[in-house]
Amino acid sequence: MTTDGIGAVYLTTHNWGRTAKFFQALGFRLDFETDHSSGQLVADDGPPLFVAEVPDQEPSLQLVLKVADESKVQLDPSVEVVTPFEDTHYGTREMVVRDPDGRTWTLQAPAK
């Protein structure tokens, strides 16, 4: 199994507006904003940056690895699967795996 690289960067923040302005000051453009304090920013090159305001959690960063076809994902038995592919509320399918240091990684595939 191979991934197709980084599909997105997902950040949580305590303040959507301030965080969006910070990344815009770094050259990102607002791609879209939701009605629940989140949105996506893009640069000319590279994966999109999705930011969600989650005031009651420690801010976090997650890299989402892109997979073209989940049916072709065949993991080595040494890879710990935290959750198998599941539908998301935003129209994709995601699997979570854990690396040897305990970090979790999300593999994202198109919806079936």
Side-chain angles (χ1 to χ4, degrees):
M1 190 268 320
T2 60
T3 63
D4 295 331
I6 297 171
V9 177
Y10 177 76
L11 292 177
T12 61
T13 181
H14 290 159
N15 187 304
W16 153 249
R18 281 193 342 214
T19 301
K21 286 179 184 170
F22 170 79
F23 282 103
Q24 288 172 315
L26 294 177
F28 284 79
R29 294 180 318 281
L30 183 62
D31 188 28
F32 66 83
E33 184 173 357
T34 71
D35 60 355
H36 52 272
S37 300
S38 66
Q40 183 168 284
L41 298 115
V42 294
D44 289 336
D45 199 10
L49 176 62
F50 189 87
V51 180
E53 185 174 307
V54 185
D56 58 345
Q57 291 180 5
E58 188 69 27
S60 65
L61 174 131
Q62 177 184 28
L63 297 177
V64 177
L65 304 175
K66 185 170 39 171
V67 174
D69 183 350
E70 79 173 82
S71 68
K72 295 184 179 175
V73 173
Q74 296 191 8
L75 297 175
D76 184 281
S78 66
V79 175
E80 178 188 351
V81 175
V82 178
T83 57
F85 277 105
E86 302 175 324
D87 292 329
T88 66
H89 68 277
Y90 41 89
T92 63
R93 296 203 23 99
E94 291 183 349
M95 167 189 270
V96 177
V97 297
R98 188 179 327 276
D99 74 18
D101 293 312
R103 289 179 293 260
T104 57
W105 296 86
T106 300
L107 308 180
Q108 186 178 75
K112 290 182 179 179

